[in-house]
Amino acid sequence: MMLSGGRHRGLVLPCLAVVAALAAAPRGADAYKNYTVGDDKGWYDGLTLPGVDYQAWADGIKNFSLGDFLIFNTDKNHSVVQTRNATLFKSCDYNDSGPDDTVEWSAAAPEFSKDAVTVAVPLLREGRTYFFSGNYDGEQCENGQGFAIDVAHGQGLPPDLRPPAADAPAPSAKPADGAAVLDFSHPKNVTTPSASDGDLSGDDTTSGSSRTLARICLAVMPLVTALFAV
Ligand SMILES: *[C@@H]1O[C@H](CO)[C@@H](O)[C@H](O)[C@H]1NC(C)=O
Ligand SMILES: *[C@@H]1O[C@H](CO)[C@@H](O)[C@H](O)[C@H]1NC(C)=O
Ligand SMILES: *[C@@H]1O[C@H](CO)[C@@H](O)[C@H](O)[C@H]1NC(C)=O
Ligand SMILES: *[C@@H]1O[C@H](CO)[C@@H](O)[C@H](O)[C@H]1NC(C)=O
Ligand SMILES: *[C@@H]1O[C@H](CO)[C@@H](O)[C@H](O)[C@H]1NC(C)=O
Ligand SMILES: *[C@@H]1O[C@H](CO)[C@@H](O)[C@H](O)[C@H]1NC(C)=O
């Protein structure tokens, strides 16, 4: 009796520690990133800043993921337009695009001034997406101010970027077609085992739930051990 109870209890703490460590590990190892487009050069067309190559910049990073931000440092003479339509991107013309085809991220209407602006764009959807400047009827886009990236799932969107909470800036949070719907799948939500399993017999609650926890823990232990033994 005493012995088995003691061993039982002795396993709970290490088990909890392992579970806690497992839960914490992926988050720390794989944090969301902010990428400054063009690094120190900022976001300009090739006439303003000869030699800019944003595709080379993007290709150098490669692994963009949901929840990362692109930071565009530019001025009010340049804009930030996002689309998932390759044809539209290649034409540098979004005059005729539907309301859901493009997102204009620029902080304000173009003023054609050199006032500095910083535009932070969260990556909200997986797959290929394109960015370009829409000013001057596509002239800036034609002069090198555009690039494509592929957005991986990574760890998924953080809670504050998931659609229900996402406020104003993205006018096209609604999917335009069935094809590439926002993927806000499977937010990690660990349900506490049987916390509300209709346990109305008051006095036994605490020991009952800790016994349940211990049982789950013991059941999972071999798996956990196997994972760490590799
Ligand atoms: C990334 O940029 C966003 C938007 O500006 C900001 O809220 C967030 O704190 C930044 N994250 C990091 C790690 O710098
Ligand atoms: C992708 O991201 C990881 C983690 O941030 C990083 O260590 C790795 O170098 C990146 N890979 C490429 C090809 O940039
Ligand atoms: C992409 O954009 C072009 C030009 O605006 C348009 O004709 C075409 O229908 C769009 N394609 C999709 C799949 O929306
Ligand atoms: C805005 O950019 C265009 C090139 O796209 C350039 O011709 C024009 O001089 C710029 N205007 C200002 C105010 O910087
Ligand atoms: C876009 O529309 C404007 C006026 O609405 C026009 O002046 C411009 O030529 C159009 N751009 C292209 C690339 O067709
Ligand atoms: C987890 O689930 C509970 C109950 O269903 C809900 O109230 C809570 O908002 C969820 N948390 C997350 C992070 O999804």
Side-chain angles (χ1 to χ4, degrees):
M1 247 323 231
M2 275 279 282
L3 185 61
S4 91
R7 290 178 56 204
H8 195 78
R9 206 161 289 173
L11 275 171
V12 173
L13 270 182
C15 176
L16 285 180
V18 167
V19 169
L22 279 178
R27 228 172 286 168
D30 200 15
Y32 297 106
K33 298 229 174 60
N34 286 1
Y35 297 105
T36 302
V37 176
D39 298 316
D40 294 343
K41 290 182 172 166
W43 176 238
Y44 295 99
D45 63 276
L47 299 178
T48 307
L49 199 62
V52 287
D53 187 345
Y54 294 104
Q55 196 58 58
W57 171 83
D59 292 346
I61 291 177
K62 292 192 193 75
N63 52 0
F64 300 93
S65 303
L66 288 178
D68 292 343
F69 276 82
L70 299 185
I71 311 293
F72 295 83
N73 291 319
T74 185
D75 60 22
K76 290 182 178 170
N77 195 29
H78 299 81
S79 71
V80 178
V81 179
Q82 180 180 9
T83 184
R84 294 169 64 83
N85 181 326
T87 311
L88 193 155
F89 169 68
K90 280 173 192 142
S91 72
C92 284
D93 174 14
Y94 70 120
N95 266 9
D96 301 323
S97 75
D100 289 333
D101 291 347
T102 53
V103 180
E104 174 99 45
W105 289 100
S106 312
E111 282 183 14
F112 309 113
S113 81
K114 291 193 190 308
D115 291 351
V117 289
T118 293
V119 183
V121 177
L123 300 179
L124 300 174
R125 292 171 70 170
E126 283 181 71
R128 177 147 283 226
T129 190
Y130 306 87
F131 293 91
F132 61 97
S133 171
N135 287 2
Y136 292 91
D137 295 332
E139 183 187 286
Q140 296 178 339
C141 170
E142 281 159 9
N143 283 290
Q145 200 174 2
F147 61 97
I149 62 170
D150 292 303
V151 180
H153 183 76
Q155 57 192 318
L157 289 172
D160 61 334
L161 288 179
R162 281 174 209 149
D167 22 55
S172 68
K174 263 180 297 162
D177 47 47
V181 178
L182 272 174
D183 184 357
F184 36 96
S185 56
H186 327 304
K188 286 206 181 70
N189 196 344
V190 182
T191 45
T192 329
S194 71
S196 59
D197 266 8
D199 191 350
L200 296 174
S201 58
D203 56 348
D204 203 30
T205 303
T206 311
S207 65
S209 63
S210 75
R211 237 183 287 131
T212 308
L213 186 60
R215 239 182 280 128
I216 289 168
C217 217
L218 284 171
V220 168
M221 206 59 181
L223 178 64
V224 169
T225 313
L227 277 175
F228 272 76
V230 179

